[in-house]
Structure formats: C-alpha cells, structure tokens
C-alpha cells in the first residue's frame, strides 16, 4: 500500500528473486528490504519487534551517561564451585548497617563492594542459562567469571562455557577455585588454558585470573576487585534519567501475588506505577521488591528487581520497556500476541546449508558459524581445520564451538544464539537436543565421512545447494 504497487507486482518481484510467496504470507526483513529497493524505496523498520534496540545502546549524549554496575554471570563445569561462589558473595557482601541480608532468590542480586561500587550477579549459574537468554536476543551479561576447580582440570563444560562466552563476545575472568584443597594445582589449569590459546595475566596474557576458595571465602574480595577493574575497562554506562528498558530474568505466577517477574533494568530508571510492556504482556508496576524483600520505589540501571503487576509471565530473556502512553502500550502488546498466534510456536528461522545460497543472493551473508561435534578428538580437529580453511574473501567460516561427544541441548542453544549450523561426525543428538533443534529450527548435519562434510559445506558456500522448499 505504501509503495502503491499491486500484490501481483510484489509477488512477481519475489519470484524474480527466487522466492516463492503467496499473498497472505509474511516476508522476513531482508526480503522486504530487497523487494522494496527493487521498487525504488528504502525501508526503515519501526515494527513492534525490535524497535527498542536503540534504547539499550549508549546512544545518549555523553553528559546523560553515568557509570553503571557490571552484570556478571558465573560459569564452569559442574561441581567446580559456581553455586558456592554465588552463595559466599551473597552472604558476605551485605552492606554494613543495612537491614536484613539477601533473603530471597529472585534470579539476580546486587552487592556493594567496599568502595561504594556495585556488582550485579545473575543468580542462575552456568552457560545454559546464559545462552538461553542470548537465544532470545537478550544481551545481559557484561563479564563472565569462569570457575575451574584447581584440584580437577579444564573439563568439557569448562570448554563449553568458554565457547559460549566467546561466542557472545563477553570478556572472561578465570577464578581458579578450591585452592584450599590438597592436590590443588592452579599451574596445571593455566597450562591447560594456554593450550586453548587462553593466556592468563600471570602468564603474560590478557585474561585476568584469581585463585580462590569459594567455600572458605579466600581471595573472593580480590576476585571482586578484578571484576570491577574489568568493568572499568569496559566503561559501562547508562542514562538513569529516562524511561526504563531491560530484560526479564525470570517470571512466574504466584498464588497470592499474581504474576511476579524479576527484571534487570539496563537503561533508564524503573519506577513504581510505570507502565511496562514485555513481549505480549503489559501492566503497571504495582510494587517493586529487591532481593532483600524490601519495597523500593525506583530501580536505576543494572538493578535487579522483582515486580508485580504484569498480566502474564514473559519468557526469561524477553525485553521490557516502559511506555508513557497507555493506548500505545496495549496496542504493542496486542500486536505481539497476534504475531505469536499467527506464527504459533514456530521459531525464528536459522541458517541452514540450503539457505546459504539464498542469503548470498540477498547479498548480506558474510559469516558461516559452525558448531562441530565428533566421536574422537582427531576427527573434530581435522574437520574443524578443513572447514575453517574453506573461508573465502566473501564468507568467513567460524567454528563457534567444537567438542567430542553427543550433541547436547546446550549445543543447540548456542547454535540458536549464534545462528550456527551443527556439523556432527559419527555422533547424534540426544533426544532432548533433537527436539529442541526441531523447535528452534536449528540444522544438524550428520556425517560419517569427513570428505562429504567438507564437500557439502563447500558447495553450500558456493550457493550450489538446491533449496528444499
Ligand atoms: P557447582 O556445581 O559448580 O555449582 O558447584 P558447587 O558450588 O555446588 O560445589 C560443588 C562441591 O564443591 C560442594 O560440595 C562444595 O562444598 C565444594 N566446594 C566448592 N568450592 C569449594 C572450595 O573452594 N573448597 C573446597 N574444599 N570445596 C569447595
């Protein structure tokens, strides 16, 4: 309508581009852009989906920006001490003179460090939670603390955590834990990390490291200082003087209180009585509680708060935004509900090898992300090397994660968050992973001959694979 062309002309143009569409089908953003440009129009997207992006960025003028606390996720192998570390920090860093300690788990908590600086910790440790949020488009974590037990070694989930943090471009600090134990050998850990091209500071590298005992609380304060140092380098800023935007950390229905959501304010300040929209839900903030179960009136940037008043439970990782105009807020929520209904549970479309040809034709495909899983180390390395060597001037092949073993749910989540294809050699997905991949629209390519894998990826990159419609 805006372009004043008939639907037949639009369909014709689409067909000319090799895209078969019917009249009542939604086109994705790329196609809309391309088709409009064919008619001489430039598209500006102001839709309900991601129109709020700019509110998260530091686009405000310098003087409105104030430093904000870093938001930290703790990751690492099971039993290496993530929970112990979160527990120790939670219980020890209660600001002196403050009434009550942290009394409830709301999904995140904020602590004040001696010099008046703050750090916010996400209280669900692990890279699965981290990447699940990313898969929904949430950019929450500023710094990842990777916990490795000094009496153990760099383990499969340590590697996963590192890949997940790297894929998200989040800086890492290594906390070498359990140094109180007999047999603790931090040097061995640093050596193993160095074999992965991760040099800690002590070894002349760029990654900060700290030896700690989470159980005894040994050196945890030094770790916190290093987090603050990293945060300073990142120069994290936000503007507290505008309407709040942020991300849902968790949400549920509480018998007595209605829908309860923990949100992390990422920019602006959230106030009691504010009208917020998150996904297809909205409502006025009836009450805000902090992790000490105290009512608060306002939550500045990097503050986690529990809020009451939404008319539903948005998914973790969903963004929220404050609206001034009630009619507009409702309209946005209703439109989103409508999209959800129309599309059902169909997930966003992710890259597949067949798709590459089409994306190449659209001219904006630059990087092919792969996750490589195999039955033995040798084949994983061989496959990963050969596939990376397929990089051309046009397309860079990036291996986001590689490991030995079955394809897990966390691999699929990572593929979702990084828009990657999973290439498997002599291994299969677990049944949960297969289901998740199906729901998320993530492609898993399984091979038993390395040559075939390489040939197929190569032809895909040349746009030679026939799309399956
Ligand atoms: P998570 O699975 O990474 O969250 O690990 P946990 O925090 O649950 O810790 C696993 C086990 O290691 C528990 O029994 C902890 O008490 C123990 N643990 C954690 N940190 C330390 C530490 O610094 N020293 C010792 N000796 N034990 C620890």
């Amino acid at each position: 309508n805006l372009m004043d062309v008939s639907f037949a002309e639009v369909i014709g143009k689409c067909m000319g581009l090799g895209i078969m569409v019917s009249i009542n089908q939604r086109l994705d953003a790329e196609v809309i852009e391309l088709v409009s440009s064919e008619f001489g129009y430039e598209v500006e997207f102001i839709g309900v989906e991601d129109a709020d992006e700019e509110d998260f960025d530091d686009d405000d003028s310098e003087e409105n920006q104030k430093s904000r606390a870093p938001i930290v996720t703790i990751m690492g192998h099971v039993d290496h001490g993530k929970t112990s570390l979160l527990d120790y920090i939670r219980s020890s860093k209660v600001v002196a003179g403050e009434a009550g300690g942290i009394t409830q788990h709301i999904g995140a908590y904020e602590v004040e460090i001696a010099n008046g600086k703050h750090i916010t910790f996400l209280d669900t440790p692990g890279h699965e939670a981290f990447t699940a949020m990313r898969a929904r488009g949430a950019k929450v974590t500023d710094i990842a603390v990777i916990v490795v037990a000094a009496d153990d070694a760099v383990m499969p989930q340590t590697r996963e955590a590192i890949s997940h943090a790297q894929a998200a471009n989040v800086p890492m600090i290594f906390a070498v834990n359990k140094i109180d134990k007999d047999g603790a050998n931090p040097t061995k850990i640093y050596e193993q990390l160095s074999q992965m091209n991760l040099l800690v500071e002590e070894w002349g590298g760029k990654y900060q490291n700290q030896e700690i005992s989470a159980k005894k609380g040994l050196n945890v304060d030094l770790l916190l200082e290093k987090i603050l140092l990293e945060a300073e380098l990142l120069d994290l800023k936000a503007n507290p003087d505008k309407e709040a935007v942020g991300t849902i950390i968790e949400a549920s229905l509480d018998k007595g209180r209605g829908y309860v959501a923990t949100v992390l304010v990422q920019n602006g300040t959230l106030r009691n009585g504010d009208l917020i929209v998150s996904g297809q839900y909205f409502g006025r903030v009836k009450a805000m509680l902090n992790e000490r179960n105290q009512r608060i009136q306002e939550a500045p940037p990097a503050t986690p708060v529990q809020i009451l008043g939404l008319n539903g439970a948005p998914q973790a990782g969903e963004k929220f935004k404050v609206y001034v105009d009630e009619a507009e807020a409702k309209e946005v929520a209703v439109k989103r509900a409508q999209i959800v209904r129309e599309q059902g549970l169909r997930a966003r479309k992710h890259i597949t090898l067949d798709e590459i040809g089409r994306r190449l034709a659209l001219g904006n495909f630059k990087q092919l992300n792969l996750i490589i899983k195999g039955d033995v180390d040798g084949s994983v390395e061989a496959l990963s090397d050969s596939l990376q060597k397929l990089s051309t001037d046009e397309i860079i092949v990036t291996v986001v994660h590689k490991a030995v073993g079955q394809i897990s749910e966390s691999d699929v989540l990572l593929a979702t968050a990084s828009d990657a294809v999973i290439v498997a050699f002599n291994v299969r997905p677990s049944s949960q992973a297969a289901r998740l991949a199906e729901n998320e629209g993530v492609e898993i390519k399984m091979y038993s001959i390395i040559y075939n894998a390489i040939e197929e990826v190569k032809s895909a990159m040349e746009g030679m694979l026939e799309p399956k419609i």
Side-chain angles (χ1 to χ4, degrees), residues 2-22:
L2 287 175
M3 296 190 301
D4 196 21
V5 297
S6 73
F7 69 84
E9 286 174 273
V10 173
I11 291 178
K13 281 278 190 247
C14 287
M15 282 170 76
L17 294 162
I19 304 158
M20 299 302 153
V21 291
S22 66

Side-chain angles (χ1 to χ4, degrees), residues 123-335:
D123 210 357
T124 315
H127 52 279
E128 289 88 356
F130 169 81
T131 298
M133 297 263 274
R134 273 188 66 225
R136 307 230 165 75
K139 286 171 239 152
V140 179
T141 302
D142 300 306
I143 297 167
V145 170
I146 312 284
V147 176
V148 195
D151 65 335
D152 197 3
V154 170
M155 296 296 280
Q157 285 166 23
T158 319
R159 289 173 195 275
E160 273 185 38
I162 291 169
S163 297
H164 285 228
Q166 285 178 328
N169 236 334
V170 168
M172 298 179 284
I173 299 178
F174 291 95
V176 177
N177 190 29
K178 306 199 187 184
I179 52 163
D180 57 299
K181 281 183 94 168
D182 290 336
N185 184 359
T187 310
K188 181 178 117 190
I189 306 295
Y190 300 142
E191 197 179 305
Q192 290 176 331
L193 289 173
S194 75
Q195 284 160 6
M196 300 170 64
N197 281 328
L198 301 165
L199 277 190
V200 295
E201 235 174 12
E202 247 178 73
W203 286 30
K206 67 170 180 180
Y207 296 97
Q208 295 199 79
N209 63 293
Q210 181 61 54
E211 291 161 21
I212 60 166
S213 166
K215 196 171 176 179
K216 305 226 153 113
L218 199 67
N219 294 347
V220 173
D221 48 344
L222 297 178
L223 176 65
L224 296 175
E225 277 172 31
K226 290 190 174 167
I227 293 173
L228 286 176
L229 186 65
E230 194 76 40
E232 233 165 81
L233 295 173
L234 293 172
D235 194 24
L236 304 166
K237 296 220 158 118
N239 176 5
D241 299 318
K242 60 181 201 179
E243 274 101 39
V245 292
T247 299
I248 306 285
I249 302 296
E250 54 184 54
S252 59
L253 179 60
D254 182 291
K255 262 193 210 142
R257 298 185 296 171
Y259 289 100
V260 179
T262 295
V263 305
L264 186 64
V265 178
Q266 287 172 277
N267 208 351
T269 296
L270 184 64
R271 296 191 169 78
N272 241 336
D274 277 350
L275 177 64
I276 76 171
V277 178
S278 179
Q280 49 179 320
Y281 304 111
F282 67 98
R284 278 200 190 275
V285 178
K286 279 195 284 195
M288 292 202 288
L289 297 159
N290 63 16
E291 63 277 0
R292 297 171 170 83
N293 216 4
Q294 296 158 328
R295 272 178 180 257
I296 53 173
Q297 292 305 314
E298 45 175 53
T303 315
V305 279
Q306 209 174 42
I307 58 166
L308 310 183
L310 277 176
N311 65 351
Q315 280 194 309
E318 189 81 67
K319 290 168 190 161
F320 79 84
K321 180 173 154 79
V322 168
Y323 281 77
V324 180
D325 182 345
E326 188 147 353
E328 189 192 354
K330 274 191 192 154
E331 191 189 322
V332 169
V334 167
K335 264 196 194 148

Side-chain angles (χ1 to χ4, degrees), residues 25-175:
Q25 187 175 337
R26 273 176 200 278
L27 301 180
D28 61 33
E30 300 166 78
V31 176
I32 291 173
E33 214 157 10
L34 200 73
V35 170
S36 325
S37 76
E38 292 273 319
F39 288 105
Y41 288 90
E42 201 175 307
V43 180
E44 192 184 336
F45 291 98
I46 52 160
V48 290
E49 277 308 296
D50 285 313
D52 321 338
E53 205 56 52
E54 72 270 19
D55 295 312
F56 285 76
D57 300 336
D58 311 345
D59 64 328
D60 286 283
S61 57
E62 236 348 88
E63 72 258 32
N64 296 332
Q65 298 282 325
K66 304 225 166 62
S67 288
R68 65 163 175 86
I71 299 158
V72 177
T73 298
I74 295 184
M75 311 191 211
H77 195 72
V78 64
D79 281 347
H80 278 195
K82 302 179 290 293
T83 313
S84 306
L85 181 57
L86 279 166
D87 287 347
Y88 179 80
I89 297 169
R90 187 190 298 111
S91 61
S92 69
K93 290 288 158 187
V94 176
V95 179
E98 192 169 35
I102 296 177
T103 51
Q104 53 173 2
H105 277 266
I106 62 169
Y109 65 81
E110 188 183 8
V111 289
E112 187 172 339
I113 313 301
N115 52 8
K117 298 223 154 115
H118 293 251
I119 302 177
T120 298
F121 286 92
L122 293 179
D123 210 357
T124 315
H127 52 279
E128 289 88 356
F130 169 81
T131 298
M133 297 263 274
R134 273 188 66 225
R136 307 230 165 75
K139 286 171 239 152
V140 179
T141 302
D142 300 306
I143 297 167
V145 170
I146 312 284
V147 176
V148 195
D151 65 335
D152 197 3
V154 170
M155 296 296 280
Q157 285 166 23
T158 319
R159 289 173 195 275
E160 273 185 38
I162 291 169
S163 297
H164 285 228
Q166 285 178 328
N169 236 334
V170 168
M172 298 179 284
I173 299 178
F174 291 95

Side-chain angles (χ1 to χ4, degrees), residues 160 371-375 380 383 401-408 411 422-427:
E160 273 185 38
I371 292 173
I372 297 174
K373 298 292 290 245
D375 54 347
V380 170
L383 197 52
H401 177 60
K402 57 178 180 195
V404 169
Q406 206 184 27
I407 301 159
S408 65
D411 294 327
I422 301 178
V423 175
F425 180 73
N426 281 342
V427 291

